[in-house]
Amino acid sequence: MPTIELSFITICLFCFVTFSLALHQVPAHDCQRECDDGPARRCDYHFHIEYYYTMSKACYDCPYKLEGCDRHHCIAADGVERGVVSINRQIPGPSIQVCQGDEIVVDVTNHLRGEGSALHWHGMHMKGSPYMDGVPLVTQCPISPASTFQYSFVAENSGTHYYHSHSGFQRADGAFGSLIVRQSRLKDPLSSLYDHDLPEHVILVSDWLSELGLAKFVAHAHGGKDDIPSSIIINGKGRVSKPKDQLELQEMMPLAVFNVEKGMRYRFRMISNGILDCPVTMSIDNHTLLIIASDGNPIQPVEVDSLVMTSGERFDFVLKADQVASSFWIRFRGNMDWNSKHIFQTAILRYENSPEVEPDGIVTYETTSRNGTVLNPINYAPGDERHLTVAELTAITAENETEWTREPDRKFFLAYDFNAVDNWLYHDPEHYPIFGVENRQRFFTPQINHISLRMPSSPPLSQLYSLPPDSFCNESTVTNCKEKHCACSYTLHVPLGSLVEVILIDEGATFDATHPFHLHGSSFRVVAMKRVGSQVSVNEIRALDENGLIQRNLIDAPIKDTVAVPDGGYTVIRFMATNPGYWLLHCHLEFHSEVGMGVIFKIGNDNHLPPVPDDFPTCGNWFPSKSTIVNENFDSTISKHTDVSSAFDINGPLIGENELLALALDASPFVHLNEDQDRKDKVPKVSSLALKASSCHFSLALYTIITYCLSNLCFRL
């Protein structure tokens, strides 16, 4: 065969294979491996945050042809079309799975139109790298549109964690993903309890809206509409909440499936990305759950029948595959605000060699409730044998870790509720005050100690010099906050090395709710928890504490970073303030956090902070100074003798031969998404024009090349 024809066929095959593989899932990242205490790796990721759409054109015939629902860039969710905020056109975003000690480097590019963003690494303490925590206007400036910010940190604390946007309502709209940090079996104190810890056995649960979170919020805050989610998705999949026999054909969306082999024990990692007051109860038919860790921290194993998760919490459990090979329902039941809408969801546990069909039985909201022992129940106090609170779990820690048991150096009573104040953002005291409108239109402001956390104009961690001295506040600097709305950068200063005790109090006067609180920069011990009544005051809890009536577990209290507080009760946490920085403690419900239900802990003094990274982005207020002079003689026109083409390169640089390889690699689905640094350094740099050509014309060009090649090949043959 002539050389030219052989080359021609080779090119055709390369194009065809490349295009075919573009339709399949991206291969696992190099850092997703069996952890063996070998050398740590650098793990590079490239995230693109953008507005996108469920059931888009990328889904083709989904769900009529289920394979369409798994197509590249198809986000099926629950089958309801809506706008989303996605990372790499996936929901959840790409899973980061590394070994303890690896360096995680994530380039986050913001493609959102006119909206800033930032990613928080939920569960990572960022010790020594507080600038990477991802809280806009606390630890960094928001990533502005068309900009890229590189997060770089060491995965020091092992366990089940996740990442999510900490800007606006982007987390509610899909900007989240799992972050798993494994240990070697030699270091994992729980490794003898399971046979497999598979990457695909991560269960990421999220309540789900039928519209963008911002639209839902403004309708609730200004129009008196409800703030109840419409669905639940599991790893981005699910159906509308109706029994299967009532679903229309177009509502038969694919469900999440988890495969096991009979006789094996599997470690599952479950994460809650809850956005509103809707805790989820999970159970698996014919199986129990052996709970072995919470929020990345090991506990003495406890066996339960079901598990309740509030927003931001993570639980690891071992499932023993000891049933006859078949498929079993995994049931998810919505609680609290969801009770009125009867929201539920299902996934499938499937044994190897069993038929690929759904389990028998019709699942309804009523049948998602399972009898037996439940862990982390809603609004229960310790002492009920069928309802095991997280405060009753037992930590697995070194025997010499006793410093947290002494008398605390700082104690804070943080009482919160929905307060009836004329918050000017939602009630104009002159024209439509809170008690001047009908009840359903009243927006009660969630606050801590009657203060709303208002973010500063610049991040204090990196730009303290940009903020006036009176930027921060606490209870000692504000007055009359029960009568008027107080909003400021609520900050509590704690000396480095202090033992801090925080008593979180849910006064419960306005609504029956459950608020999960998340602490950045540290884990804490859950030393006490109790529900006192339907409502309680901070003075009552102070009196209980002063009279020694709060019983604390100072021996083996569990370690967490997110915990719910019983309505009309309290939860007591303790942590060592050994990580200098500005760290947020806030309610993890999206609508509450965004309106100021939080507080900032400043740990240590400014001289304790690590230096600000070189060229770190800045932001803040700007006002022209009095010395600013406008040059009235400045001529902004281009001279008629000027060669415009020399002033502006209209055509742009041509793509040289040395760029063709880089262009092909950049367009390739193999290299672009999960490209490691070594490979990237070996590829020639690509001009901006080449990159534009790559993103805009790769698919069209590939179709054209394939068609041309095949037609010519047929002609030659």
Side-chain angles (χ1 to χ4, degrees):
M1 182 179 291
T3 304
I4 187 169
E5 290 191 6
L6 184 61
S7 301
F8 192 82
I9 293 172
T10 302
I11 293 172
C12 290
L13 289 174
F14 171 78
C15 293
F16 180 74
V17 171
T18 302
F19 177 73
S20 299
L21 287 168
L23 297 178
H24 292 75
Q25 291 184 343
V26 178
H29 196 283
D30 290 342
C31 289
Q32 183 176 300
R33 65 198 190 277
E34 182 78 20
C35 299
D36 56 7
D37 292 330
R41 298 184 184 182
R42 171 176 166 137
C43 307
D44 288 272
Y45 303 85
H46 306 274
F47 285 3
H48 301 268
I49 300 181
E50 63 178 328
Y51 284 113
Y52 197 52
Y53 202 67
T54 61
M55 301 299 292
S56 69
K57 55 179 174 267
C59 299
Y60 284 83
D61 295 325
C62 170
Y64 304 106
K65 295 181 180 178
L66 290 181
E67 59 269 21
C69 304
D70 291 324
R71 277 180 169 269
H72 195 56
H73 291 169
C74 175
I75 298 176
D78 61 357
V80 177
E81 294 185 21
R82 53 154 292 185
V84 296
V85 176
S86 69
I87 297 176
N88 292 1
R89 296 194 174 179
Q90 303 173 44
I91 294 179
S95 181
I96 296 178
Q97 304 202 26
V98 301
C99 295
Q100 190 175 28
D102 284 350
E103 180 186 8
I104 297 175
V105 180
V106 186
D107 292 343
V108 178
T109 302
N110 180 7
H111 297 285
L112 300 172
R113 269 67 170 173
E115 185 175 352
S117 189
L119 287 188
H120 170 56
W121 313 92
H122 188 111
M124 294 286 100
H125 297 164
M126 298 298 175
K127 195 160 189 177
S129 53
Y131 305 96
M132 300 293 110
D133 192 46
V135 181
L137 299 179
V138 176
T139 65
Q140 69 170 96
C141 295
I143 307 170
S144 58
S147 298
T148 299
F149 184 94
Q150 184 176 94
Y151 292 95
S152 178
F153 56 92
V154 175
E156 289 188 349
N157 41 308
S158 62
T160 301
H161 311 297
Y162 87 120
Y163 63 85
H164 59 78
S165 172
H166 220 292
S167 296
F169 305 100
Q170 294 168 15
R171 178 171 71 88
D173 292 328
F176 59 86
S178 59
L179 171 55
I180 311 300
V181 181
R182 290 184 172 85
Q183 294 178 303
S184 67
R185 281 193 166 266
L186 188 63
K187 288 184 177 178
D188 183 358
L190 305 166
S191 61
S192 64
L193 299 176
Y194 57 88
D195 303 306
H196 300 288
D197 178 11
L198 302 179
E200 59 267 28
H201 283 174
V202 175
I203 306 174
L204 216 170
V205 183
S206 183
D207 40 353
W208 193 242
L209 305 173
S210 58
E211 59 188 323
L212 282 169
L214 179 60
K216 185 77 169 179
F217 175 77
V218 295
H220 172 63
H222 296 287
K225 307 300 182 182
D226 74 60
D227 59 348
I228 303 174
S230 57
S231 184
I232 304 172
I233 54 174
I234 313 300
N235 291 355
K237 296 182 177 182
R239 294 170 180 164
V240 295
S241 293
K242 293 193 295 187
K244 182 178 177 180
D245 57 355
Q246 297 179 20
L247 293 171
E248 302 292 337
L249 183 60
Q250 68 271 18
E251 296 174 326
M252 288 292 293
M253 304 303 298
L255 300 173
V257 178
F258 303 92
N259 296 303
V260 296
E261 180 184 347
K262 181 176 172 58
M264 296 289 104
R265 300 168 303 167
Y266 294 89
R267 179 175 188 160
F268 280 79
R269 299 170 180 269
M270 188 169 165
I271 304 163
S272 171
N273 181 57
I275 56 175
L276 291 168
D277 186 19
C278 304
V280 175
T281 304
M282 187 275 285
S283 64
I284 303 177
D285 287 3
N286 293 29
H287 296 78
T288 57
L289 314 173
L290 184 67
I291 311 296
I292 62 172
S294 181
D295 297 353
N297 298 285
I299 60 170
Q300 293 292 344
V302 293
E303 189 172 25
V304 299
D305 297 285
S306 60
L307 163 68
V308 177
M309 297 190 70
T310 60
S311 176
E313 289 189 294
R314 293 91 66 208
F315 286 95
D316 294 21
F317 64 87
V318 173
L319 179 136
K320 188 175 181 180
D322 57 0
Q323 299 297 304
V324 175
S326 185
S327 293
F328 299 89
W329 287 120
I330 305 176
R331 303 172 189 249
F332 299 88
R333 177 188 179 92
N335 301 289
M336 299 298 291
D337 286 354
W338 263 332
N339 291 341
S340 62
K341 287 192 174 183
H342 290 187
I343 303 298
F344 68 94
Q345 193 54 267
T346 55
I348 299 172
L349 178 73
R350 178 168 293 148
Y351 278 62
E352 187 180 58
N353 297 324
S354 62
E356 293 190 9
V357 296
E358 294 188 1
D360 294 332
I362 301 298
V363 180
T364 66
Y365 180 76
E366 289 72 22
T367 62
T368 55
S369 180
R370 177 166 171 175
N371 294 327
T373 302
V374 56
L375 175 63
N376 200 23
I378 303 165
N379 292 335
Y380 272 82
D384 187 320
E385 63 179 17
R386 285 296 186 181
H387 296 86
L388 185 66
T389 69
V390 294
E392 296 172 281
L393 298 176
T394 302
I396 298 177
T397 54
E399 294 181 359
N400 60 352
E401 293 183 13
T402 59
E403 192 171 7
W404 63 275
T405 66
R406 62 180 172 84
E407 189 68 20
D409 302 302
R410 292 288 188 276
K411 181 183 291 188
F412 300 100
F413 290 82
L414 301 183
Y416 61 85
D417 207 343
F418 298 89
N419 296 320
V421 290
D422 280 321
N423 182 342
W424 66 270
L425 292 171
Y426 312 106
H427 286 283
D428 185 306
E430 181 179 354
H431 301 288
Y432 44 95
I434 189 167
F435 290 115
V437 298
E438 57 182 286
N439 188 59
R440 71 174 184 84
Q441 293 182 321
R442 294 172 184 167
F443 187 86
F444 294 85
T445 300
Q447 296 178 296
I448 297 178
N449 289 348
H450 294 275
I451 300 173
S452 296
L453 173 62
R454 180 181 295 165
M455 293 301 183
S457 56
S458 302
L461 182 65
S462 58
Q463 282 182 256
L464 189 62
Y465 60 86
S466 299
L467 299 171
D470 61 352
S471 293
F472 306 99
C473 75
N474 55 43
E475 296 89 335
S476 66
T477 63
V478 293
T479 57
N480 299 325
C481 292
K482 291 184 179 181
E483 288 75 38
K484 65 178 184 179
H485 180 233
C486 292
C488 52
S489 299
Y490 187 10
T491 305
L492 301 173
H493 187 195
V494 175
L496 189 65
S498 300
L499 172 60
V500 180
E501 181 172 275
V502 179
I503 302 179
L504 293 163
I505 304 163
D506 186 332
E507 294 179 304
T510 310
F511 301 117
D512 183 14
T514 298
H515 300 269
F517 272 79
H518 172 57
L519 176 64
H520 293 223
S522 178
S523 293
F524 49 72
R525 298 272 183 167
V526 183
V527 300
M529 177 185 290
K530 188 173 183 179
R531 188 179 196 193
V532 179
S534 59
Q535 56 183 283
V536 71
S537 70
V538 62
N539 290 331
E540 290 179 72
I541 303 303
R542 283 183 181 274
L544 290 174
D545 187 46
E546 291 170 359
N547 293 318
L549 298 178
I550 295 180
Q551 296 182 353
R552 293 170 172 83
N553 175 6
L554 301 181
I555 300 174
D556 50 16
I559 305 172
K560 289 175 62 65
D561 59 45
T562 308
V563 68
V565 183
D567 184 67
Y570 61 81
T571 295
V572 183
I573 63 175
R574 287 188 175 191
F575 66 94
M576 295 298 304
T578 56
N579 190 8
Y582 288 81
W583 305 108
L584 201 60
L585 172 69
H586 65 102
C587 176
H588 208 261
L589 304 181
E590 195 86 322
F591 284 15
H592 300 172
S593 177
E594 281 304 309
V595 297
M597 198 173 189
V599 61
I600 300 170
F601 281 104
K602 180 184 179 183
I603 306 299
N605 298 323
D606 298 335
N607 62 307
H608 295 133
L609 299 173
V612 180
D614 293 339
D615 302 319
F616 202 67
T618 59
C619 54
N621 295 325
W622 181 83
F623 300 99
S625 63
K626 294 181 180 179
S627 61
T628 301
I629 299 176
V630 178
N631 186 353
E632 297 178 353
N633 298 319
F634 175 70
D635 185 2
S636 62
T637 61
I638 299 176
S639 170
K640 63 181 179 180
H641 302 295
T642 302
D643 183 358
V644 176
S645 64
S646 65
F648 304 100
D649 187 357
I650 297 175
N651 297 318
L654 294 176
I655 302 176
E657 290 183 5
N658 66 324
E659 290 185 319
L660 289 177
L661 172 62
L663 175 59
L665 290 176
D666 183 75
S668 167
F670 298 111
V671 180
H672 185 58
L673 290 180
N674 284 323
E675 176 182 21
D676 63 41
Q677 192 65 32
D678 292 338
R679 273 154 74 198
K680 190 165 74 173
D681 291 341
K682 295 176 184 176
V683 176
K685 296 296 183 182
V686 189
S687 69
S688 60
L689 182 63
L691 288 174
K692 285 183 179 179
S694 165
S695 61
C696 296
H697 303 298
F698 171 65
S699 298
L700 180 60
L702 199 52
Y703 270 117
T704 306
I705 292 171
I706 292 171
T707 304
Y708 175 78
C709 290
L710 292 178
S711 62
N712 276 273
L713 179 60
C714 293
F715 176 78
R716 291 173 185 274
L717 295 177

